[in-house]
Amino acid sequence: MPNICIFCPNTVNSREHVWPMWIHERKDFGPLNFTRRDGVVTVIPDPKVTARLVCVTCNNGWMSKLEEPNIPIISCMMQDISITLEREQQGYLAAWCMKMAFINDWTRTGGRQKKFYTRGETLAFAKDLTIPAGTRIWIGHLMTSHLSRDGHDFELLRAGDGVVVGTSSVTTLVVGHFVAQIITDHILPEFR
């Protein structure tokens, strides 16, 4: 884990919940199963996992403020209550999903040598919730209820000759009946 907050130049001095506490307060998802690439299953008895990623200023400041407007939105959706999202609510939800994608990028394991999102992208997001260029966010509904977050990075290949033109990262979030997918492309300069 980093010594410097992933969203600012401050020292890491706070623990961020991988899944916000308000989610656990609304539904007990019980133990989580984590399956590694080699097929080994690890049981996480308490899903209220925290990670040392951020500083107190970010965690109790803009990050906390970002949770507030999303609690009623996601709470309804995770409990299978249909709602209409106004444009402003869509913006809040997109920003929350992006924050979760950043957290997922920094907490993923599996032999990754470097993080996908750049320092510039995380700093810009913390400043004014700027979502990285080349990002698409989809939301949806699941018939069954789960708690899951998953992510993968992959190369983008040019059709025909297989030349690498960039990399992409995909994060999938599932909270109850709410599902979101965040995909960001980093296209190499010569292929933009």
Side-chain angles (χ1 to χ4, degrees), residues 16-185:
E16 169 65 2
H17 283 90
V18 174
W19 288 108
M21 276 305 297
W22 60 264
I23 289 174
H24 300 294
E25 291 166 358
R26 280 158 180 74
K27 181 168 173 67
D28 178 8
F29 287 97
L32 300 177
N33 294 329
F34 171 72
T35 305
R36 296 186 331 208
R37 288 184 183 160
D38 61 7
V40 174
V41 176
T42 302
V43 177
I44 302 167
D46 184 1
K48 299 175 190 99
V49 177
T50 60
R52 291 181 44 81
L53 300 173
V54 297
C55 68
V56 169
T57 303
C58 286
N59 202 1
N60 297 338
W62 70 267
M63 292 174 75
S64 180
K65 288 180 183 151
L66 179 59
E67 296 294 327
E68 291 172 13
N70 281 296
I71 291 172
I73 298 168
I74 298 169
S75 290
C76 286
M77 297 169 87
M78 71 181 271
Q79 297 175 60
D80 205 16
I81 299 170
S82 179
I83 62 172
T84 300
L85 294 174
E86 302 298 330
R87 187 175 239 352
E88 185 177 46
Q89 292 172 309
Q90 292 174 28
Y92 294 143
L93 188 55
W96 184 85
C97 290
M98 193 70 241
K99 180 210 61 145
M100 293 297 290
F102 286 132
I103 299 296
N104 189 58
D105 187 45
W106 277 89
T107 56
R108 273 194 287 158
T109 58
R112 295 170 72 223
Q113 298 303 309
K114 65 181 233 175
K115 305 305 176 197
F116 176 80
Y117 291 103
T118 68
R119 183 83 174 142
E121 288 170 327
T122 60
L123 293 174
F125 186 77
K127 180 180 176 190
D128 58 13
L129 302 181
T130 298
I131 292 176
T135 299
R136 284 106 48 222
I137 300 171
W138 293 275
I139 64 168
H141 170 269
L142 287 177
M143 296 299 288
T144 57
S145 178
H146 304 278
L147 183 66
S148 173
R149 77 185 166 89
D150 191 22
H152 298 279
D153 299 340
F154 51 93
E155 292 181 331
L156 296 172
L157 305 177
R158 185 167 58 192
D161 61 8
V163 170
V164 176
V165 298
T167 57
S168 290
S169 183
V170 59
T171 300
T172 304
L173 307 170
V174 180
V175 183
H177 295 277
F178 169 77
V179 62
Q181 195 162 62
I182 304 94
I183 298 177
T184 302
D185 297 330

